[in-house]
Amino acid sequence: LREVYGQIPVPLIADTVFLIRFLSEYLRMSGCEPIDPDTIRKHLVNGLSVAISPGGTSEMDWNRNNSGEKVLRLIKRTSFLEMAYTLNKPVVPVLVLNEESCYRHYFPGTRLFPGLKRLLDYPFPLLSFGALGTILPLKTDHVLSVFGVPIFPKHHSSQEEFIEHY
């Protein structure tokens, strides 16, 4: 990333994840920070890049169609695009496929699960285990990351047109 874009982006993660004691310490040591508009703005104004996954937990592995095939479901979350337009910062689209193979995920098979997910916007209770039952990811060769061409906001006549287009 540094060779292509000049720097490694600061990974921003949902603040609810930082409520988990040992996981939050691991994430902070890895350079991650809780996501909020002030943090995004601070990094962008200081010339840093940020990494954001707008779908978050809603985009995880359990999104399947009736045939059991995985489907990509994009949620319309646009505040990061609004900020990019306002600050005139490029957006680099990145698609990561099969990242769920880095962990073993366990979901309870109850009827409560769909209701809890809708209520909390998180797959609660979700248990994920990595290498040796820890939070460290499993070794895998099956994760694919695709980086797109940077999108420059000011090439569009208005913020609304920029957001609608992308």
Side-chain angles (χ1 to χ4, degrees):
L1 288 175
R2 183 174 285 132
E3 293 169 5
V4 177
Y5 298 108
Q7 61 181 297
I8 296 175
V10 176
L12 301 177
I13 299 176
D15 56 354
T16 54
V17 176
F18 283 86
L19 298 174
I20 303 168
R21 187 173 178 192
F22 295 109
L23 179 58
S24 68
E25 296 305 317
Y26 173 75
L27 292 171
R28 287 185 199 281
M29 288 188 309
S30 301
C32 300
E33 296 181 28
I35 190 169
D36 67 62
D38 292 334
T39 303
I40 297 170
R41 185 175 299 282
K42 174 188 78 172
H43 288 306
L44 292 177
V45 167
N46 289 328
L48 297 175
S49 296
V50 295
I52 303 170
S53 174
T57 56
S58 301
E59 298 293 324
M60 289 176 70
D61 185 44
W62 58 85
N63 291 312
R64 297 182 183 275
N65 63 18
N66 293 336
S67 304
E69 299 169 312
K70 291 181 189 177
V71 295
L72 179 63
R73 189 184 68 140
L74 298 175
I75 298 173
K76 211 169 189 178
R77 296 187 180 169
T78 61
S79 58
F80 73 98
L81 291 172
E82 293 167 9
M83 191 171 296
Y85 189 87
T86 302
L87 297 173
N88 192 26
K89 299 292 182 176
V91 175
V92 179
V94 179
L95 180 62
V96 180
L97 300 171
N98 207 31
E99 74 275 11
E100 71 275 1
S101 67
C102 295
Y103 294 93
R104 287 185 213 95
H105 301 292
Y106 299 97
F107 303 95
T110 69
R111 284 186 238 159
L112 280 174
F113 174 70
L116 285 172
K117 184 188 180 305
R118 277 192 302 276
L119 178 68
L120 302 173
D121 194 31
Y122 190 80
F124 182 80
L126 162 71
L127 303 173
S128 297
F129 299 99
L132 304 173
T134 67
I135 60 172
L136 299 174
L138 298 166
K139 183 178 179 182
T140 180
D141 296 329
H142 304 290
V143 176
L144 174 67
S145 299
V146 181
F147 293 81
V149 176
I151 302 164
F152 294 92
K154 295 300 181 180
H155 291 174
H156 298 273
S157 59
S158 70
Q159 179 175 319
E160 293 76 24
E161 188 226 337
F162 172 67
I163 291 170
E164 187 60 36
H165 188 263
Y166 293 104

